[in-house]
C-alpha cells in the first residue's frame, strides 16, 4: 500500500490530492513504470475517484504522470541526463535569487521562515519522507517568494517537482537526513545576516544533494 500523506486544510480536495501525489512522486513512493488507478488512490485518501482523476490530469499537464488508457496513470520516467539538466537550471535560478535576497535587508521576514525550517527538521527526526520533501518545497518557495518574483517561484516549483529524490527514504531509514534538514536553519541565518558568500555556498551544497545523496547516487557528475 502506498504511504501517502493525510490530506490537510488546503483549497480543495483536488488541490490537496495533487499536492500529496507530487510529494509522493518526488520521494519515489510512487515509482515510474507502475500503473496507479484512481479508485485505489481514492480509497487510500477516503474520497471518491473523481477528485483523484482530476488531480492526476493536473499532474499529467505538468508532465509528472502519463495517462494509461482504461487503466490509470503512470509516473513519467526521467533519465539521469534530464535530472542533471533540471538541477543545472535550478542552480542558475535559485542560487542568484538567494544571494540577492541576502543583500536586500529582509532579515525579519527571512527569520520568520524558521517554523518552516523547524518543520523540515521534525520530519527528518520522525523519518517522514513525504512530509520532509513537502516542507522542504514550501520552505524554499517561501524564501524565494520574498524576492517578489512570482514567475521565478512558479518556475522553481515546477522544476523541484520534476526532480526525483529516491535516496531520501534510505537516508531517513538510517537516521541520516537530519544534517541536510538543519542546513535550512543555517541558510536562514546566512541570508538574514546579509552573508552573500555564505548563502551561495550553502545553496550550492544543498543543490548538490539533489543529484547526489538525495538522488541515491554519489555526489558529483
Amino acid at each position: 500500500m502506498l504511504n501517502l500523506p493525510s490530506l490537510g486544510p488546503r483549497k480543495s480536495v483536488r488541490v490537496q490530492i495533487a499536492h500529496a501525489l507530487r510529494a509522493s512522486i518526488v520521494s519515489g513512493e510512487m515509482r515510474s513504470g507502475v500503473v496507479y488507478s484512481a479508485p485505489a488512490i481514492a480509497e487510500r485518501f477516503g474520497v471518491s475517484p473523481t477528485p483523484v482523476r482530476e488531480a492526476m490530469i493536473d499532474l499529467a499537464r505538468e508532465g509528472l504522470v502519463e495517462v494509461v488508457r482504461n487503466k490509470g496513470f503512470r509516473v513519467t520516467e526521467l533519465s539521469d541526463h534530464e535530472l542533471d539538466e533540471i538541477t543545472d537550471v535550478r542552480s542558475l535560478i535559485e542560487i542568484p535569487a538567494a544571494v540577492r535576497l541576502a543583500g536586500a535587508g529582509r532579515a525579519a521576514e527571512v527569520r520568520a521562515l524558521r517554523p518552516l525550517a523547524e518543520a523540515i527538521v521534525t520530519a527528518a527526526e520522525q523519518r517522514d519522507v513525504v512530509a520532509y520533501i513537502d516542507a522542504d518545497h514550501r520552505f524554499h518557495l517561501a524564501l524565494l517568494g520574498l524576492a517578489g518574483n512570482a514567475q521565478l517561484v512558479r518556475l522553481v516549483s515546477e522544476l523541484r517537482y520534476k526532480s526525483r529524490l529516491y535516496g531520501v527514504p534510505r537516508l531517513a531509514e538510517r537516521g541520516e537526513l537530519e544534517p541536510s534538514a538543519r542546513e535550512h536553519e543555517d541558510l536562514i541565518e546566512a541570508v538574514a545576516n546579509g552573508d552573500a558568500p555564505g548563502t551561495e555556498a550553502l545553496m550550492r551544497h544543498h543543490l548538490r544533494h539533489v543529484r547526489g545523496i538525495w538522488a541515491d547516487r554519489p555526489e558529483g557528475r
Side-chain angles (χ1 to χ4, degrees):
M1 177 182 289
L2 284 172
N3 182 30
L4 297 174
S6 300
L7 299 181
R10 294 183 182 274
K11 293 181 180 179
S12 70
V13 174
R14 173 179 180 166
V15 171
Q16 291 180 66
I17 292 172
H19 184 84
L21 294 180
R22 286 188 193 96
S24 296
I25 290 170
V26 173
S27 71
E29 179 67 32
M30 296 178 68
R31 288 279 190 165
S32 59
V34 178
V35 176
Y36 297 96
S37 72
I41 292 176
E43 183 177 357
R44 164 60 183 82
F45 282 130
V47 300
S48 73
T50 298
V52 174
R53 291 193 181 96
E54 293 173 343
M56 284 291 200
I57 290 172
D58 291 340
L59 299 186
R61 292 194 185 108
E62 296 169 15
L64 296 179
V65 301
E66 56 189 4
V67 178
V68 181
R69 189 171 181 180
N70 298 324
K71 292 184 178 181
F73 301 84
R74 180 168 49 217
V75 176
T76 303
E77 186 171 2
L78 296 177
S79 68
D80 274 355
H81 177 68
E82 289 171 315
L83 293 177
D84 286 338
E85 290 181 332
I86 289 171
T87 306
D88 284 343
V89 174
R90 285 184 56 188
S91 296
L92 291 171
I93 296 173
E94 292 185 57
I95 294 173
V99 170
R100 286 196 300 272
L101 187 60
R106 309 284 290 278
E109 293 164 282
V110 172
R111 288 198 171 96
L113 300 179
R114 186 167 291 279
L116 279 175
E118 292 171 350
I120 299 171
V121 174
T122 298
E125 291 172 342
Q126 296 176 348
R127 304 186 182 186
D128 188 334
V129 173
V130 174
Y132 180 94
I133 290 175
D134 177 56
D136 176 77
H137 187 94
R138 289 187 290 117
F139 171 85
H140 284 282
L141 293 192
L143 181 64
L144 293 174
L146 295 178
N149 188 328
Q151 295 302 314
L152 181 148
V153 173
R154 178 188 59 78
L155 178 56
V156 169
S157 179
E158 292 175 359
L159 291 172
R160 291 179 66 88
Y161 276 134
K162 288 181 179 179
S163 299
R164 298 291 187 271
L165 307 179
Y166 295 161
V168 171
R170 187 173 292 109
L171 292 171
E173 289 171 6
R174 298 198 301 248
E176 297 175 2
L177 201 54
E178 290 182 43
S180 296
R182 296 193 182 281
E183 289 175 8
H184 299 83
E185 297 174 330
D186 295 336
L187 182 59
I188 284 176
E189 288 309 304
V191 176
N193 291 331
D195 181 2
T199 297
E200 179 175 357
L202 282 166
M203 285 296 298
R204 289 194 184 282
H205 178 70
H206 201 66
L207 282 169
R208 278 201 298 271
H209 293 331
V210 176
R211 298 305 294 132
I213 57 173
W214 287 4
D216 200 18
R217 67 180 253 186
E219 293 200 22
R221 288 183 279 173

